[in-house]
Amino acid sequence: MKNPGLIALIFFYTMVVGFTYGQNEKARNPIIHADVPDMSMIRIGETYYMSSTTMHMAPGVPIMKSKDLVNWEIVNYTYDILEDIHPLNLSNGENSYGRGSWASCLRYHEGTYYVSTFASTTGKTHIYTTKDIENGPWKSISFPPSMHDHTLVFEGDKIYLVWGAGRLTMVELEPDLSGVKPGTETVLIENATEPAGNNIMLKAEGSQLFKVDGKYYLFNIAWPRGGMRTVIVHRSDHFHGPYEGKVMLQDKGVAQGGLIDTPNGDWFAYLFRDYGGVGRIPYLVPVRWEEGWPVLGVEGKVPDELDLPKNGSLIPGIVASDDFNRKAGDESLPLVWQWNHNPDPEHWSLSARIGHLRLTNSRVDPDVLQARNTLTQRTIGPVSSGTTKIDVSGMQDGDVAGLSLLQRDYGFVAVRTEGGKKTIIQLLAPEGKEEILEEIPLGQKTVFLKAECDFRDRKDLAYFYFSLDGKEWKPIGAELKMKYTLPHFMGYRFGLFNYATKKPGGFVDFEFFDISDEISLHK
């Protein structure tokens, strides 16, 4: 082509079309392809905040922040540890897998932020308050009983909790939040499941209540047998009722959450979907108002696209790489990290060897599920990989240390020391029963380990690799079928771990952890 004018015209057209397309790119569901269940959300001016469930992890109840409802970052946690007890400490043979703190409620009232949650592990309802949601400090209050899936309600000068499953109960709290005011427990809705029918597998739960234009809207989830997770909304002109209810969404199993509006007056429902090994993932659903009801979805369906800014990477807001180098004044661990159960602070360090995470064994454990100080991050979809380098020269006989994908049916690639010899092993635990699939001699003090996750089309498969130089990677063992199990009730997590099977005192140094939203070794 030799016509300069035509070339310039084509170039201009290409640039304009490309720019317009980029500007018009929309957000897509899920808004976060990672385990962020039981969301509760508020908007303060043009800033959104969201809390979520992390159960047995510590610190717990993450606070996430967004300016556009789509792209989120973790900015705080409401507690470092829920309580100092055996199940949460992974001590005395006990654990809190699938328990810990569940569905939280995030609210803002007269200058104070409130996060309330509950835990069968402690048998209590826990309420945290702060004036500064991003920096704290948080004041902690707790009292029995553990009020299941409750919502916090401010009505006049009184504070209430609505909670329960099927039969929803209301109680008034003491003004200082120290407990339930005696004699205030009443039934708010006798059978909140009724709009979804009589053949029910999961009764209405997950309560979240909102007041919009003088009316009260109570969101719940139910699950009809042979059907899917279903959104039920009850409304009333008065907080105390009576309430009338309707099924407001039944599509893809997207359910449980509540309402949020934007500064320009648009409305959305924030909900989540059970999505296999990656966990329970958040969706946004457009809401329009008809005859005083919030109508969810587009013609009753959850759209793939949303009229919101496009999704960016979950790195580094939800997950992030870490070189374990710390300067004076740096946070000890970025907020993307959580410990599997309460950590033992005397036996992990970022200062024992500069630029490394050192994990030291303080006791003997039977397997990785009981290992103290396993440091975790979420896996993310559609695909993700985690890579680390580990110095194993401090290991003792019987020690096992490496990179895991953590759930009940876990798998890992690790170094094991046995009889004075070190080997690289790949282990899977289908139904929680361990099996070593491959074992390779290791003749050096450092090794690189990698795990790759493929959640595309619900494959839920993971693959493990090792490298002696960080350049040439070799597969090891067999693929892991990442099965979401209720005993853990959580999506798979990358975990850095070290545990002793014979005697305490051994240690390993992790030089870095890199996470990527691509997989390069297994296509």
Side-chain angles (χ1 to χ4, degrees), residues 162-475:
V162 175
W163 61 286
R167 188 187 201 210
L168 302 184
T169 301
M170 176 185 67
V171 293
E172 183 183 344
L173 299 182
E174 297 284 3
D176 61 359
L177 305 175
S178 59
V180 174
K181 184 177 287 188
T184 63
E185 182 172 324
T186 59
V187 175
L188 189 66
I189 301 176
E190 182 64 44
N191 182 8
T193 315
E194 187 174 11
N198 296 319
N199 190 17
I200 297 295
M201 180 170 64
L202 177 70
K203 294 182 179 180
E205 61 176 20
S207 294
Q208 292 199 39
L209 188 141
F210 307 87
K211 187 176 183 180
V212 180
D213 293 335
K215 288 185 180 291
Y216 297 82
Y217 297 89
L218 181 58
F219 276 61
N220 290 102
I221 172 185
W223 198 332
R225 295 185 187 278
M228 65 183 71
R229 289 159 41 90
T230 299
V231 178
I232 298 173
V233 177
H234 285 82
R235 75 172 184 182
S236 176
D237 292 327
H238 307 282
F239 168 54
H240 295 275
Y243 284 84
E244 56 178 330
K246 288 185 179 183
V247 169
M248 300 307 294
L249 183 68
Q250 199 172 52
D251 182 44
K252 300 178 182 176
V254 175
Q256 190 163 340
L259 287 171
I260 193 74
D261 66 339
T262 67
N264 63 6
D266 293 328
W267 287 84
F268 292 88
Y270 55 87
L271 308 164
F272 70 84
R273 182 183 186 185
D274 293 335
Y275 210 69
V278 76
R280 298 181 288 169
I281 58 179
Y283 279 65
L284 285 175
V285 178
V287 171
R288 69 181 190 279
W289 292 89
E290 289 186 3
E291 298 179 353
W293 286 96
V295 179
L296 277 61
V298 178
E299 297 182 354
K301 301 296 181 181
V302 176
D304 293 327
E305 286 191 343
L306 300 161
D307 287 324
L308 289 168
K310 68 177 182 178
N311 313 65
S313 174
L314 300 184
I315 304 170
I318 305 300
V319 296
S321 299
D322 194 343
D323 63 8
F324 300 123
N325 272 304
R326 297 295 182 267
K327 298 177 182 178
D330 285 353
E331 290 288 340
S332 176
L333 286 169
L335 296 174
V336 294
W337 289 113
Q338 286 177 288
W339 297 100
N340 177 27
H341 290 66
N342 295 344
D344 174 4
E346 299 300 317
H347 291 91
W348 72 270
S349 175
L350 291 170
S351 59
R353 183 180 177 187
I354 300 302
H356 294 76
L357 167 70
R358 175 166 293 183
L359 300 181
T360 302
N361 292 322
S362 62
R363 65 186 194 189
V364 171
D365 286 310
D367 55 44
V368 71
L369 294 185
Q370 283 296 123
R372 290 295 297 271
N373 292 344
T374 296
L375 190 60
T376 79
Q377 287 196 39
R378 294 169 176 84
T379 57
I380 60 175
V383 298
S384 55
S385 67
T387 307
T388 190
K389 180 182 179 183
I390 180 173
D391 186 327
V392 299
S393 55
M395 294 179 74
Q396 296 185 155
D397 202 51
D399 290 358
V400 183
L403 173 64
S404 66
L405 284 168
L406 189 65
Q407 233 272 1
R408 185 200 66 178
D409 293 7
Y410 55 88
F412 61 68
V413 57
V415 175
R416 181 174 72 165
T417 302
E418 196 72 33
K421 298 180 180 180
K422 291 183 173 63
T423 56
I424 306 168
I425 64 170
Q426 194 259 344
L427 179 149
L428 301 180
E431 304 299 321
K433 298 176 182 178
E434 290 191 344
E435 180 182 1
I436 294 176
L437 278 298
E438 190 171 355
E439 189 166 7
I440 298 170
L442 177 65
Q444 59 189 56
K445 70 176 185 178
T446 61
V447 65
F448 296 81
L449 307 174
K450 182 190 288 281
E452 294 192 337
C453 304
D454 189 350
F455 299 108
R456 293 172 295 187
D457 301 319
R458 302 288 287 269
K459 289 180 183 177
D460 293 352
L461 294 175
Y463 309 88
F464 297 89
Y465 305 86
F466 75 94
S467 173
L468 300 179
D469 59 9
K471 298 176 182 178
E472 181 183 357
W473 289 94
K474 297 180 180 180

